Amino acid sequence: RPILEVNQLKKTYGKKGTLYTALENISFEIEKGEFVGIMGPSGAGKTTLLNILSTIDKPTNGQVKIGGKEITSMKDNELSHFRRHELGFIFQDFNLLNSLNAGENILLPLALDRKKIDFMEERLARVANILGISDILEKYPSEISIGQKQRISAGRAMITNPQLIFADEPTGALDSKSATELLQYLAEINLKEDATILMVTHDAFSASYCNRILFIKDGVLFAEIIRNGTRKEFFQKI
Ligand code: ADP
Ligand code: ADP
């Protein structure tokens, strides 16, 4: 079964008279191991959609299942647990804690869960190896580059081996070289851990790393393209 099942999603803001429809009739599925992009112009509804799928916001209508579990009817206490265990987040602005070093930032979701030290160390070593950050784990956020910060944030997102990783404009704050590196690392996570990634981006170069792209405009899913062939060929189609 698909990791993510979205059925007839609708979101309106405001009330009668000033009702604004931000999303309408959104249905799609994502299979395990996919790297999916969401593209669309500003105001299209991307953030609204991501907030609903990541359980931060509730839809007006429709269903969302993650790993077969209906999330739209979960209670708040259930949701925070679900979010911490089953979802990973990469933000545009990293969201790292400055008082923790890189390794501690990555381990935070496991530490909050009181996992065994041996397990955490083993998992951290693997994640750091995949992301090429083994030699900066002792450093603090103020001591590393923005590209390294975003790789730390990717490490934190994947440390629990979540069902789904959400990335909202992850290269938004990065220069072109660190952006390319980050995308290559996301592709590695996708490949080596069979991680399922959903990335919002407005940038065709970033989107070309995905295996499928959904296009949203005016709150409606209006196109989808699937990558077959090289990344370069895909880039030219976007
Ligand atoms: P995108 O991320 O694609 O730029 P958003 O999801 O942020 O789009 O916004 C989609 C539309 O919904 C926009 O017109 C925005 O102004 C509106 N919108 C988003 N959040 C709210 C809110 N909390 N209240 C009212 N309108 C909102
Ligand atoms: P983006 O960079 O994704 O387009 P926006 O600037 O549209 O982000 O929105 C930033 C935040 O403000 C989002 O959480 C969105 O839901 C909220 N927002 C956007 N438009 C409105 C609005 N008209 N009223 C209230 N909140 C809004």
Side-chain angles (χ1 to χ4, degrees), residues 94 96-98 100-103 105-106 133 135-153:
F94 327 120
L96 299 176
L97 294 177
N98 290 321
L100 300 182
N101 71 26
N105 263 288
I106 295 175
I133 47 178
D135 53 346
I136 56 163
L137 293 177
E138 308 276 309
K139 293 206 191 272
Y140 284 81
S142 61
E143 303 171 316
I144 60 180
S145 72
I146 53 164
Q148 289 171 329
K149 280 185 199 172
Q150 198 55 309
R151 276 144 67 190
I152 302 302
S153 148

Side-chain angles (χ1 to χ4, degrees), residues 71-224:
I71 60 161
T72 50
S73 55
M74 274 188 202
K75 300 211 165 57
D76 285 349
N77 57 343
E78 224 180 326
L79 276 178
S80 59
H81 182 268
F82 181 81
R83 229 178 267 145
R84 179 139 46 84
H85 289 255
E86 314 289 352
L87 308 179
F89 295 90
I90 305 173
F91 304 95
Q92 183 169 343
D93 56 0
F94 327 120
N95 252 9
L96 299 176
L97 294 177
N98 290 321
S99 57
L100 300 182
N101 71 26
E104 292 164 345
N105 263 288
I106 295 175
L107 282 173
L108 197 58
L110 296 181
L112 288 171
D113 246 11
R114 302 181 178 281
K115 295 284 189 219
K116 293 226 164 65
I117 294 284
D118 286 357
F119 170 78
M120 292 204 285
E121 282 180 351
E122 213 172 286
R123 182 71 188 142
L124 179 61
R126 174 173 167 82
V127 164
N129 183 40
I130 293 176
L131 291 167
I133 47 178
S134 304
D135 53 346
I136 56 163
L137 293 177
E138 308 276 309
K139 293 206 191 272
Y140 284 81
S142 61
E143 303 171 316
I144 60 180
S145 72
I146 53 164
Q148 289 171 329
K149 280 185 199 172
Q150 198 55 309
R151 276 144 67 190
I152 302 302
S153 148
R156 184 189 48 197
M158 69 184 281
I159 194 80
T160 59
N161 210 345
Q163 304 247 19
L164 202 49
I165 296 175
F166 294 99
D168 191 1
E169 298 277 7
T171 61
L174 306 184
D175 59 77
S176 156
K177 182 167 170 284
S178 357
T180 305
E181 276 173 11
L182 180 78
L183 290 161
Q184 284 165 349
Y185 282 113
L186 291 181
E188 288 281 295
I189 299 173
N190 175 237
L191 208 69
K192 290 189 179 160
E193 295 251 309
D194 205 18
T196 312
I197 305 176
L198 185 58
M199 174 173 75
V200 168
T201 179
H202 61 257
D203 154 47
F205 178 74
S206 295
S208 71
Y209 280 80
C210 298
N211 71 288
R212 179 156 68 103
I213 303 171
L214 306 171
F215 293 88
I216 298 186
K217 192 176 183 304
D218 301 332
V220 178
L221 204 62
F222 81 100
E224 169 180 24

Side-chain angles (χ1 to χ4, degrees), residues 11-14 18 20-23 38-51 57 168-169 200 216 218-219:
K11 178 73 179 179
T12 55
Y13 288 115
T18 58
Y20 180 84
T21 304
L23 292 175
I38 295 182
M39 294 191 83
S42 185
K46 303 183 295 296
T47 305
T48 303
L49 178 61
L50 206 67
N51 286 347
D57 198 359
D168 191 1
E169 298 277 7
V200 168
I216 298 186
D218 301 332

Side-chain angles (χ1 to χ4, degrees), residues 17-45:
T18 58
L19 204 64
Y20 180 84
T21 304
L23 292 175
E24 187 148 49
N25 210 3
I26 305 266
S27 299
F28 65 94
E29 296 184 342
I30 294 181
E31 301 290 336
K32 178 163 175 60
E34 280 201 279
F35 186 0
V36 176
I38 295 182
M39 294 191 83
S42 185

